[in-house]
Amino acid sequence: MLLSPKYRFLFVHIAKTGGTSVRAALEGLRWRDPWYWPMFLCSRFSHLSGHRIATKLPRHAKAIAAKEMLPKPIFDGLFKFAFVRNPWDLQVSSFHHIRRERPQFLGGHEAFSSFLRWKLDPRRPYQYHLDTSIELQSDYLIDLHGNLIIDFIGRYERLHEDFDTACQRIGITTPPLPHARKATDRQQDYRHYYTDETAELVATHFASDIDLLGYRFDSE
C-alpha cells in the first residue's frame, strides 16, 4: 500500500498484479511529500516495536485497513486505486516466482498442476508466501459489508494504459513504468499450464473475483 497525503492518493497493492512496477514509478513522489519523513519515522518505530504500535500500513494491506485507520475525511478525500489480474494467469505467475526465488516453499511439488492442487488444499498449513497469492483480490477492494471502496480498478492486462489513467486522476504527469521482476522462465499463455480439472479449481476458489471483475479462463 502506498499513501501520499500531498498528492491525495492511496495505492492498494495486490500481490502479482504489477504493483511492484507501479510502486517503483510512484516512489519519487514521496520525496516531494512533506509528510514523507513523519511517515518514515512512524514506519521505523513500528518496525522496531515488532509492529505492536500499528503505525504502518503493510505493503499488501487491504483498502479496509486504511479506511479503519485513517480519519473519514482523509480517507474519503483520497483517490484510491488498485490493479487486478486474471486469476488463472496470476497463479501461473505465482508458481514461477516461488520456484525461482523461494523453491523451499514448493512443498516438493515441482509441476504446476501438482503444486496448485496442494496450494489450494485447505488442509495445508498456512504459509505467508503461498497464502498471499491465493487471497481473493476482491477482498482488497471492499469494506466489511462487501461494498466497493476503490475509485479505480486497473488491469494488469492493460497496465500501461490504466496506469496512465490513474496518473491523470491523481493529477500528475505519468512517470515511466518499469517492468519490475519480468519473468523469463514461463510460457506467456497461461492456458497451456491448465487441465480442465485445475482450471476448475481456480474457478471455484476465485469465484468472487471472477464474478466481480469479469475474468474468464479464456480472457485475453
Side-chain angles (χ1 to χ4, degrees):
M1 183 171 284
L2 189 62
L3 169 65
S4 175
K6 177 179 179 179
Y7 294 95
R8 298 167 63 85
F9 72 80
L10 179 74
F11 169 57
V12 178
H13 184 175
I14 303 172
K16 308 306 297 175
T17 62
T20 299
S21 296
V22 172
R23 289 179 64 95
L26 296 176
E27 196 73 22
L29 298 179
R30 302 179 74 184
W31 297 100
R32 290 178 252 163
D33 196 321
W35 284 98
Y36 172 75
W37 287 110
M39 293 168 67
F40 174 79
L41 291 174
C42 286
S43 174
R44 295 307 302 163
F45 285 138
S46 182
H47 175 74
L48 292 172
S49 72
H51 300 295
R52 290 189 296 271
I53 58 175
T55 58
K56 179 181 179 181
L57 291 167
R59 182 184 186 89
H60 294 300
K62 298 176 174 63
I64 185 61
K67 182 176 182 181
E68 294 295 313
M69 293 179 68
L70 295 172
K72 187 177 186 303
I74 299 296
F75 181 82
D76 290 346
L78 295 171
F79 167 61
K80 299 167 283 290
F81 70 105
F83 281 84
V84 297
R85 186 174 188 172
N86 182 303
W88 289 275
D89 185 35
L90 190 152
Q91 291 310 308
V92 173
S93 176
S94 173
F95 168 69
H96 281 283
H97 172 77
I98 290 170
R99 190 171 70 171
R100 183 176 60 251
E101 299 190 17
R102 294 183 173 88
Q104 68 272 24
F105 296 133
L106 287 173
H109 302 274
E110 297 293 332
F112 173 75
S113 292
S114 174
F115 176 70
L116 182 66
R117 283 191 291 267
W118 174 70
K119 185 182 184 183
L120 293 177
D121 187 340
R123 297 167 296 182
R124 175 182 56 78
Y126 175 84
Q127 211 297 318
Y128 172 80
H129 296 291
L130 302 180
D131 287 84
T132 300
S133 65
I134 62 172
E135 290 187 331
L136 295 177
Q137 296 177 71
S138 51
D139 283 351
Y140 284 80
L141 313 174
I142 59 177
D143 64 14
L144 297 176
H145 305 288
N147 301 310
L148 192 67
I149 54 174
I150 293 290
D151 301 310
F152 177 71
I153 301 174
R155 308 245 171 189
Y156 176 85
E157 295 77 19
R158 50 174 190 256
L159 182 62
H160 287 270
E161 297 91 334
D162 285 352
F163 180 62
D164 185 57
T165 298
C167 290
Q168 291 178 31
R169 296 280 297 273
I170 294 169
I172 60 172
T173 301
T174 305
L177 188 63
H179 197 153
R181 299 183 180 180
K182 183 176 182 180
T184 59
D185 55 351
R186 60 162 287 184
Q187 298 180 57
Q188 291 307 304
D189 191 336
Y190 62 86
R191 292 170 292 190
H192 293 164
Y193 289 82
Y194 285 93
T195 63
D196 290 344
E197 176 214 353
T198 53
E200 185 58 32
L201 282 177
V202 172
T204 299
H205 184 86
F206 296 98
S208 296
D209 288 352
I210 293 165
D211 182 55
L212 177 67
L213 304 173
Y215 281 113
R216 296 293 180 266
F217 180 67
D218 289 315
S219 297
E220 295 294 344

